[in-house]
Amino acid sequence: MFKHIKFAELAVEDQDRAVRFYTEKAGLRVAQDSPYQKGWRWIELEIPGAQTRILLTKREAGAAAKSPALVLAVEDVAATHVVLAGKGVAFAQEPTEASWNPGETYAIFRDSEGNNILIGSE
């Protein structure tokens, strides 16, 4: 029946700024960048090797959510934290053990658009 999730939406105010952040700092690639609506493009980002993409959707200024907008699995949270922090990524939560799942580590960073992004061990 279902095969996989095609994309998850990530609300952003500035597509160009978000693309720079996710390609230059987080290592994602632009999978599609096409005209869509007036003043807005259809942009999908991909994690190399993953099927699910991230679609940049339009958000009104100042409407960032407090809960994580995305949860990304990484092999090593501490090592990923060091790499991202070295590229100037600001963290709201340093690597710590998850209270909801002992043995799982997570950290939370803020993207260029004010979204909270959780990285967690698999």
Side-chain angles (χ1 to χ4, degrees):
M1 189 151 109
F2 301 116
K3 292 172 64 177
H4 61 88
I5 296 171
K6 185 172 180 178
F7 60 79
E9 295 183 359
L10 180 64
V12 302
E13 292 175 29
D14 184 318
Q15 287 182 305
D16 292 326
R17 181 175 61 204
V19 166
R20 280 191 307 276
F21 179 87
Y22 282 100
T23 58
E24 294 173 9
K25 295 188 180 207
L28 277 62
R29 294 188 299 227
V30 175
Q32 183 173 345
D33 187 345
S34 305
Y36 181 52
Q37 298 173 339
K38 184 177 181 181
W40 200 256
R41 303 183 324 264
W42 185 274
I43 298 176
E44 292 181 21
L45 302 175
E46 66 182 0
I47 298 169
Q51 286 185 310
T52 303
R53 293 179 176 180
I54 299 167
L55 174 67
L56 301 182
T57 59
K58 194 170 200 169
R59 180 183 64 218
E60 297 303 317
K66 292 182 181 182
S67 61
L70 287 175
V71 177
L72 302 172
V74 298
E75 287 185 31
D76 185 329
V77 173
T80 302
H81 171 263
V82 168
V83 170
L84 292 175
K87 293 181 178 183
V89 174
F91 278 79
Q93 172 66 57
E94 301 291 317
T96 190
E97 186 170 346
S99 61
W100 62 88
N101 191 11
E104 181 179 346
T105 304
Y106 77 100
I108 299 173
F109 68 85
R110 304 270 297 174
D111 72 5
S112 63
E113 306 306 294
N115 293 307
N116 288 318
I117 309 299
L118 185 145
I119 57 173
S121 53
E122 294 186 84

